[in-house]
Amino acid sequence: MATNHLVLSGTINRSRSFKSPAGIAHCVIMLEHKSQVYEAEMLRNIYCQIQVIFSGERFESVTDKLKSGVDIEVQGFIALQQGRNGQNRLVLHAENVELKT
């Protein structure tokens, strides 16, 4: 069995909410992560941004709190998504979210 599980914390730097044509509620955010970790006995500064997708009724109660500047921790799985420009990118599909602020 393959494993696909990611936990990442960071700050939301933009968000938008919408409903799909099928009526499913979605909230899409850009999560910015900054940290430091040791790699090969040296301290390394880590920075990344990843798009996070919250889908379905289970997130409707928290969607209004997912705004720019809010610190969160997200758990979910990553998947490949093709953008309108044809470029592929990894996105995080949320299964759980915890507000940190």
Side-chain angles (χ1 to χ4, degrees):
M1 178 174 189
T3 301
N4 183 347
H5 184 77
L6 178 67
V7 179
L8 191 65
S9 62
T11 304
I12 298 171
N13 68 13
R14 67 177 181 261
S15 68
R16 66 183 176 96
S17 298
F18 62 95
K19 287 205 177 200
S20 70
I24 298 171
H26 298 282
C27 180
V28 178
I29 68 164
M30 186 60 70
L31 185 65
E32 181 177 70
H33 170 86
K34 295 177 184 177
S35 64
Q36 292 183 322
V37 297
Y38 280 94
E39 180 179 40
E41 294 84 40
M42 294 187 67
L43 191 60
R44 179 176 178 179
N45 291 321
I46 305 299
Y47 175 81
C48 68
Q49 287 187 339
I50 189 167
Q51 181 174 297
V52 183
I53 302 171
F54 300 86
S55 298
E57 293 177 4
R58 63 188 280 183
F59 293 112
E60 284 185 9
S61 63
V62 74
T63 297
D64 62 329
K65 297 177 180 92
L66 299 176
K67 302 296 180 197
S68 184
V70 174
D71 293 327
I72 63 171
E73 180 178 284
V74 180
Q75 298 178 28
F77 61 91
I78 56 173
L80 195 63
Q81 183 183 68
Q82 187 173 52
R84 292 182 183 139
N85 61 2
Q87 295 285 329
N88 291 327
R89 64 179 169 192
L90 287 177
V91 297
L92 175 57
H93 290 263
E95 295 176 309
N96 192 33
V97 62
E98 183 179 332
L99 300 173
K100 296 291 189 177
T101 49

